[in-house]
Amino acid sequence: DDAIDSEHYTDGSIDTAHIADDNITHAKLEGRYTTIPADITTTTGTINLDCASNANFRLIGNLGTCTFNLQNIKTGQVVEVLCDGSVLSSASISLASTFTAESINKIGTTNFQGSKKNLFVFSCLDDTDGDAIINYTVNEVDVDDTDQP
């Protein structure tokens, strides 16, 4: 028997060549991809969105003037922010990150709609500090009770 038990490995010694294809489960992924966040009730000022802890955020308060501050976002990470408050008509949202310099680019022409729930989707193309690139879209959320795609 040539099998080696885990007691024979030093912590951190397994490289990708020794992991079988399709063998990483959801449970083994970093918390940023698996954690269900608590609802965020902050509605004004800076709203820190720690992307090292979560990839999805739900803002349940009635937003006023605020800044979504993306923290610890990584290249290839997609982050969703659902604005789920009942009164969003007075929302004035700006965007920031913890990079020393970044480009935050809006993709598409849809703007935040204060009369409905909205979903922001951020995609980090480059997390190089001083030259980071984050693209985003924002769309209205319509509840669809049908089973149609």
Side-chain angles (χ1 to χ4, degrees):
D1 182 12
D2 291 333
I4 299 174
D5 293 329
S6 60
E7 67 189 38
H8 297 98
Y9 288 105
T10 304
D11 287 346
S13 68
I14 302 294
D15 57 17
T16 56
H18 292 92
I19 299 174
D21 289 345
D22 302 322
N23 207 29
I24 302 296
T25 64
H26 188 261
K28 295 296 183 190
L29 294 175
E30 189 175 8
R32 73 176 70 225
Y33 302 109
T34 59
T35 303
I36 298 172
D39 292 339
I40 298 172
T41 58
T42 303
T43 59
T44 60
T46 300
I47 301 173
N48 291 317
L49 304 172
D50 186 359
C51 303
S53 300
N54 296 293
N56 298 288
F57 299 90
R58 181 173 177 240
L59 304 176
I60 61 169
N62 299 324
L63 295 176
T65 301
C66 62
T67 300
F68 293 168
N69 185 31
L70 297 167
Q71 301 173 319
N72 305 308
I73 193 167
K74 293 293 186 185
T75 297
Q77 187 175 4
V78 175
V79 173
E80 294 185 348
V81 179
L82 177 62
C83 300
D84 199 13
S86 59
V87 179
L88 299 172
S89 58
S90 61
S92 175
I93 301 169
S94 59
L95 305 173
S97 77
T98 53
F99 295 113
T100 56
E102 76 283 313
S103 295
I104 300 178
N105 309 303
K106 181 179 174 189
I107 307 300
T109 58
T110 305
N111 293 315
F112 184 88
Q113 300 296 319
S115 61
K116 293 191 173 193
K117 296 177 184 181
N118 288 257
L119 179 68
F120 285 83
V121 178
F122 297 94
S123 177
C124 182
L125 302 179
D126 187 346
D127 66 0
T128 305
D129 194 29
D131 200 25
I133 301 171
I134 300 171
N135 290 343
Y136 78 96
T137 61
V138 59
N139 288 287
E140 297 176 8
V141 175
D142 288 319
V143 176
D144 184 359
D145 292 331
T146 66
D147 292 333
Q148 303 295 324

